[in-house]
């Protein structure tokens, strides 16, 4: 196991440490070899993320899928009855069809039932989904494997636009800067291990923007990573207030955690004049996809996990252009295998040709599951729902599900589902959590409810947005 997972429990303390502590500590740590930082398998994952031989990918994918399903059937109590049905002469897809479709609620109701008996508790890395999902729950990754694999694939993704470890990245991915809520507090924090200048996307109105841009110039930022809506806010401000010294230095932009509408991508490309990539993944590390500099479709890494699309009745969708739910079967997490896991995201297969640089990659034309995941601040700007993610207080585990609804800019109804009333001190902690995360841009109003209604299609909507886009258009600074 690498140091990354061993020290994960102290990540928040490191990120919140004063800069004079973080700088030397991070620079020394960054000099360590990958095998020590990420574990012995990091190099293998990095190599497989770059494979482009279609036939080799197909063979490896089938082998990885078979290995995953056999391990689950033999060691995971929930799948014990399936083991005898996995006949060696059946194709891997037929093996997969024997397993039931799963939801977050299935795992939450009986988590021990889905943990492998072939792994010890010491191999489990406890995780919790962030604010970008409606049903947060606690699950387990495989120590020394899951996060190392993700890091290797993200590095491969960055190489598509020439991103290296020597480049400095401006990050707009929802991490609040300690002390930024105070008047005159710091608005950014530099993280030397990944060479990232972290700026909270909740501080993106016009009064802060010049200081962000100046900090990026001083740190010689050459790439941007962030939520689609956050990067869009930055690009929109620069469109009205050009700073060529900053925008001309940007060589690539990567958008994470949200769907990006075509007009948003077009503006970002116009302002920075560089390739814009769109990423798709989730906390459970069961599927990962990303676009290419010359193609905004989503190309699914075949060795990261297996992907299916299903209709409302759970039947497979194979026709291009037909919207269905993304179902993922993750590879390599032996501790808690996610098999036929319903992500809740909607997507459609592409009818276009494969990308010449990515033969053998499944291709999604679009992903539609997160289009409304934003709040509207009192000044009219959009704030990503994903900014409520990150490390949550333990009290959040008492909440079964959450939902946000907005009727007017600057005000937000936060519904928390609990079968019984939450203690007053728990509600106080959660109320403070949302107020700190929203940093005065939106006033939250918490409602504890016994049930959050689902749509006719059986989905629980995370964000119900009644504020029209005209509000945003009138807020340009």
């Amino acid at each position: 196991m690498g140091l990354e997972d061993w020290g994960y429990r102290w990540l928040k303390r490191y990120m919140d440490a004063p800069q004079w502590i973080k700088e030397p500590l991070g620079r020394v740590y960054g000099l360590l070899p990958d095998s020590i930082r990420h574990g012995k398998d990091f190099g293998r994952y990095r190599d497989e993320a770059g494979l482009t031989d279609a036939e080799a990918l197909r063979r490896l994918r089938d082998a990885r899928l078979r290995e995953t399903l056999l391990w689950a059937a033999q060691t995971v109590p929930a799948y014990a009855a399936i083991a005898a049905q996995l006949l060696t002469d059946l194709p891997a897809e037929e093996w997969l069809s024997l397993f039931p479709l799963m939801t977050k609620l299935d795992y939450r109701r009986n988590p021990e039932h889905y943990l492998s008996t072939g792994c010890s508790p010491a191999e489990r890395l406890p995780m919790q989904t962030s604010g970008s999902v409606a049903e947060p729950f606690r699950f387990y990754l495989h120590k020394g494997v899951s996060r190392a694999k993700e890091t290797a694939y993200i590095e491969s993704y960055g190489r598509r636009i020439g991103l290296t470890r020597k480049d400095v990245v401006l990050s707009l991915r929802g991490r609040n800067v300690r002390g930024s809520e105070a008047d005159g507090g710091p608005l950014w924090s530099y993280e030397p291990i990944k060479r990232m200048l972290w700026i909270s996307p909740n501080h993106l109105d016009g009064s802060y923007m010049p200081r962000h841009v100046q900090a990026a110039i001083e740190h010689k930022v050459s790439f941007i990573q962030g939520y689609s809506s956050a990067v869009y806010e930055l690009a929109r401000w620069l469109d009205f207030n050009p700073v060529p010294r900053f925008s001309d230095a940007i060589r690539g932009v990567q958008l994470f955690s949200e769907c990006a509408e075509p007009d948003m991508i077009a503006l970002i490309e116009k302002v920075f004049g560089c390739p814009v990539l769109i990423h798709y993944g989730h906390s459970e590390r069961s599927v990962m996809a990303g676009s290419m500099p010359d193609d905004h479709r989503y190309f699914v890494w075949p060795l990261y996990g297996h992907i299916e699309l299903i209709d409302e009745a759970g039947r497979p969708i194979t026709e291009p252009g037909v919207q269905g739910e993304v179902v993922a079967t993750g590879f390599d997490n032996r501790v808690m295998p996610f098999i036929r896991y319903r992500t809740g995201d909607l997507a459609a297969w592409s009818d276009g040709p494969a990308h010449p640089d990515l033969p053998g990659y499944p291709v999604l034309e679009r992903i539609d599951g997160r289009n409304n995941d934003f709040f509207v601040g009192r000044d009219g700007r959009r704030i990503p729902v994903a900014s409520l993610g990150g490390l949550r207080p333990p009290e959040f585990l008492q909440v079964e599900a959450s939902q946000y609804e907005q009727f007017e800019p600057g005000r937000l109804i936060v519904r928390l589902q609990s079968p019984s009333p939450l203690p007053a001190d728990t509600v106080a902690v959660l109320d403070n959590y949302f107020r700190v995360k929203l940093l005065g841009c939106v006033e939250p109003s918490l409602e504890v409810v016994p049930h959050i209604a689902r749509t006719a299609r059986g989905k629980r909507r995370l964000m119900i947005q009644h504020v029209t886009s005209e509000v945003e258009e009138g807020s340009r600074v």
Side-chain angles (χ1 to χ4, degrees):
M1 180 180 67
L3 288 177
E4 291 280 313
D5 283 355
W6 178 80
Y8 182 72
R9 72 190 78 177
W10 292 293
L11 176 61
K12 187 177 187 302
R13 291 186 181 181
Y14 166 74
M15 293 300 297
D16 289 341
Q19 204 67 33
W20 64 270
I21 293 178
K22 189 160 48 182
E23 285 275 356
L25 189 63
R27 292 188 186 280
V28 171
Y29 183 81
L31 296 175
L32 295 176
D34 288 334
S35 58
I36 295 178
R37 286 177 54 186
H38 304 293
K40 61 182 179 61
D41 291 323
F42 179 81
R44 175 171 66 86
Y45 289 130
R46 183 175 52 198
D47 292 341
E48 75 175 27
L51 283 176
T52 56
D53 184 308
E55 181 58 27
L57 285 170
R58 185 192 64 78
R59 291 196 307 269
L60 287 170
R61 185 215 62 169
D62 286 352
R64 196 71 58 84
L65 180 58
R66 283 181 177 275
E67 178 185 340
T68 298
L69 298 179
L70 186 60
W71 172 264
Q74 292 178 339
T75 70
V76 177
Y79 303 124
I82 299 176
Q85 304 177 56
L86 300 185
L87 303 177
T88 57
D89 57 342
L90 290 178
E93 281 78 6
E94 291 192 31
W95 277 22
L96 184 63
S97 67
L98 298 172
F99 287 75
L101 293 166
M102 304 295 298
T103 67
K104 293 181 179 67
L105 188 57
D106 293 319
Y107 292 102
R108 291 190 64 181
R109 283 173 172 167
N110 194 359
E112 293 293 327
H113 206 45
Y114 296 96
L115 289 172
S116 171
T117 59
C119 294
S120 68
E123 295 177 87
R124 302 171 186 171
L125 182 65
M127 301 292 291
Q128 184 179 326
T129 53
S130 65
S132 60
V133 293
E135 299 174 350
F137 78 110
R138 192 176 180 86
F139 61 97
Y140 294 93
L141 298 178
H142 196 153
K143 280 185 181 178
V145 175
S146 302
R147 295 177 69 245
K149 175 182 173 181
E150 180 187 47
T151 300
Y153 274 76
I154 290 292
E155 283 200 7
S156 175
Y157 178 57
R159 286 197 294 272
R160 294 179 180 179
I161 51 175
L163 176 60
T164 72
R165 295 183 181 181
K166 295 181 179 180
D167 292 298
V168 179
V169 177
L170 177 67
S171 181
L172 301 171
R173 297 183 65 181
R175 183 179 293 278
N176 292 326
V177 177
R178 185 178 182 180
S180 61
E181 67 276 7
D183 291 340
L187 300 180
W188 55 265
S189 174
Y190 180 70
E191 199 286 291
I193 298 176
K194 295 185 178 180
R195 297 175 65 85
M196 283 189 172
L197 182 66
W198 289 88
I199 294 177
S200 171
N202 293 323
H203 286 91
L204 289 180
D205 62 352
S207 62
Y208 296 113
M209 208 67 75
R211 295 163 64 184
H212 297 333
V213 170
Q214 183 58 37
I217 292 173
E218 292 173 358
H219 282 80
K220 299 180 180 177
V221 164
S222 51
F223 288 86
I224 298 175
Q225 294 178 350
Y227 302 138
S228 303
S229 56
V231 179
Y232 174 71
E233 290 290 339
L234 174 61
R236 193 181 66 172
W237 184 85
L238 287 167
D239 194 33
F240 285 89
N241 306 272
V243 185
R245 187 181 173 193
F246 169 56
S247 55
D248 290 353
I250 302 302
R251 308 203 315 269
V253 176
Q254 294 172 301
L255 306 178
F256 290 84
S257 300
E258 298 175 328
C259 287
E261 300 170 6
D263 62 328
M264 297 170 68
I265 298 173
L267 178 64
I268 295 169
E269 289 177 332
K270 169 193 169 187
V271 168
F272 295 107
C274 68
V276 176
L277 300 185
I278 316 166
H279 177 270
Y280 173 70
H282 59 172
S283 301
E284 296 83 350
R285 275 80 165 179
S286 295
V287 62
M288 184 184 288
S291 66
M292 292 290 283
D294 58 349
D295 194 330
H296 289 150
R297 295 178 298 168
Y298 293 83
F299 299 88
V300 183
W301 270 279
L303 300 184
Y304 194 90
H306 182 77
I307 187 172
E308 304 172 76
L309 295 185
I310 62 171
D311 63 16
E312 295 176 12
R315 296 170 300 210
I317 294 175
T318 58
E319 312 95 297
V322 179
Q323 188 184 69
E325 183 177 1
V326 175
V327 175
T329 297
F331 300 152
D332 301 297
N333 180 1
R334 292 197 161 199
V335 166
M336 191 177 197
F338 284 90
I339 297 176
R340 304 202 76 195
Y341 176 56
R342 302 182 67 156
T343 65
D345 294 321
L346 301 175
W349 296 117
S350 174
D351 61 357
H355 194 282
D357 293 337
L358 300 175
Y361 279 55
V363 188
L364 298 172
E365 185 67 31
R366 63 182 188 275
I367 296 177
D368 302 320
R370 302 178 182 179
N371 283 346
N372 294 321
D373 287 359
F374 63 88
F375 312 127
V376 178
R378 59 171 54 91
D379 59 356
R381 60 192 174 91
R382 298 199 302 187
I383 302 167
V385 171
S387 66
L388 294 180
L391 297 173
R392 288 178 158 184
E395 287 80 1
F396 223 104
L397 293 175
Q398 301 179 44
V399 177
E400 293 185 344
S402 59
Q403 184 182 73
Y404 312 111
E405 187 167 10
Q406 187 168 35
F407 291 91
E408 61 180 292
R411 293 186 178 275
L412 180 71
I413 296 173
V414 178
R415 295 191 183 93
L416 304 175
Q417 179 175 303
S418 175
S420 58
L422 295 176
D425 56 343
T426 296
V427 174
V429 170
L430 297 178
D431 181 79
N432 181 69
Y433 168 83
F434 283 105
R435 291 181 183 278
V436 169
K437 282 286 186 178
L438 293 169
L439 294 174
C441 303
V442 178
E443 177 75 13
S445 176
L446 272 59
E447 296 181 358
V448 180
V449 297
H451 177 70
I452 294 176
R454 293 181 179 270
T455 66
R457 299 182 60 186
K459 287 178 64 73
R460 179 179 286 125
R461 296 176 63 187
L462 173 60
M463 183 69 211
I464 304 175
Q465 184 56 269
H466 303 282
V467 180
T468 62
S469 59
E470 285 77 13
V471 174
E472 180 202 0
E473 292 300 316
S475 68
R476 294 179 175 173
V477 179

